[in-house]
Amino acid sequence: MDDVIDRIAPCPWGGHSGRQPFEHVRPAHPVKPALYSPEERRRRDASPWTIVQAVLAPLQFLAFAVSIVLIGRYLLTGHGYEVATVSILVKTVALYAIMVTGSIWEKEVFGHWLFARAFFWEDAFSMLVLGLQTAYLVALFAGWGTARQQMLIAVAAYATYVINAAQFLLKLRAARLEGRLGPLTSHGSMGGAA
């Protein structure tokens, strides 16, 4: 009978009710799985692709920052089409490089070329960025649309890139915090640093 009462109205203070505390109450905050297992963290730290990603990410951002200024100049003034186009091509090469090396890194660390559990949503959004950037290339080389329309495709690709970059920065922050504090254990206490 106590079990039925606990299911209907559990009392968190077993001493007050004369019963043991309700054992299967869900925690207020569900515990997230660790971003990296200890073995994945070891592989990540040992992989040369980790350094490659750390170098390519800021280079891609730099290419993006220069390119968005040049695209903006072209869209506002109608001048600088060629240099804006070259900047988009440079950004696209950087994107392809980081995607290819990132999938190699993911395979080495997680055993999946893409869509590993820890980076599923980041990879999914990366596919959108890649699709839009590729759509720009197709439009450019096939001569589809006006120069302005092509630039607007690049702007859409860049908007998704900004969101995707934010996803990865948040994931990097989570990985650093997890490395410093250790993952939450199933009991909600902090584990040791991995």
Side-chain angles (χ1 to χ4, degrees), residues 17-35:
S17 66
R19 296 186 301 272
Q20 293 298 321
F22 186 57
E23 292 295 325
H24 36 284
V25 173
R26 291 186 182 180
H29 302 287
V31 178
K32 289 183 180 179
L35 188 58

Side-chain angles (χ1 to χ4, degrees), residues 42-121:
R42 186 198 62 74
R43 287 193 301 259
R44 179 203 68 185
D45 293 345
S47 174
W49 297 106
T50 301
I51 295 170
V52 170
Q53 292 294 288
V55 169
L56 285 177
L59 287 177
Q60 181 183 201
F61 184 80
L62 179 62
F64 156 77
V66 170
S67 186
I68 197 70
V69 168
L70 295 172
I71 292 170
R73 176 178 171 240
Y74 171 74
L75 290 174
L76 292 173
T77 68
H79 299 294
Y81 170 78
E82 292 80 10
V83 72
T85 299
V86 169
S87 74
I88 297 168
L89 295 175
V90 168
K91 164 67 174 72
T92 304
V93 168
L95 172 67
Y96 283 138
I98 205 165
M99 288 299 297
V100 169
T101 59
S103 66
I104 296 168
W105 175 85
E106 212 165 315
K107 175 69 172 168
E108 198 170 277
V109 174
F110 297 104
H112 298 275
W113 289 104
L114 282 172
F115 303 109
R117 173 197 51 82
F119 289 93
F120 179 84
W121 291 110

